Amino acid sequence: MKNYAIFRLVCIVLLWVALCVILIVKRGVDFMALFSIIASGIIVFVPLYKKYKEGRYNK
């Protein structure tokens, strides 16, 4: 992976983690908060994983 691809991936991960922490702090741990975190993780990271596996970042 190129440096800019790694940087983008790290930025997305850090932003997602920060938003998850904010959600848990403001709302507490309940079913809807956990569901939101899991669903957003799937929506964000599955396409990134597929893109990485196909090798589009390696070009």
Side-chain angles (χ1 to χ4, degrees):
M1 282 198 313
K2 304 269 187 203
N3 287 339
Y4 65 92
I6 294 171
F7 178 73
R8 280 191 312 196
L9 186 62
V10 168
C11 287
I12 290 172
V13 168
L14 290 176
L15 179 63
W16 182 79
V17 168
L19 292 174
C20 290
V21 168
I22 291 170
L23 178 68
I24 289 174
V25 167
K26 293 289 184 183
R27 204 175 152 148
V29 179
D30 61 351
F31 174 75
M32 286 306 294
L34 290 177
F35 178 76
S36 299
I37 290 170
I38 292 169
S40 68
I42 291 170
I43 291 170
V44 170
F45 294 115
V46 168
L48 289 176
Y49 176 75
K50 286 183 179 180
K51 186 182 281 190
Y52 173 72
K53 280 304 248 186
E54 289 176 2
R56 284 191 244 168
Y57 276 139
N58 296 329
K59 293 180 181 178

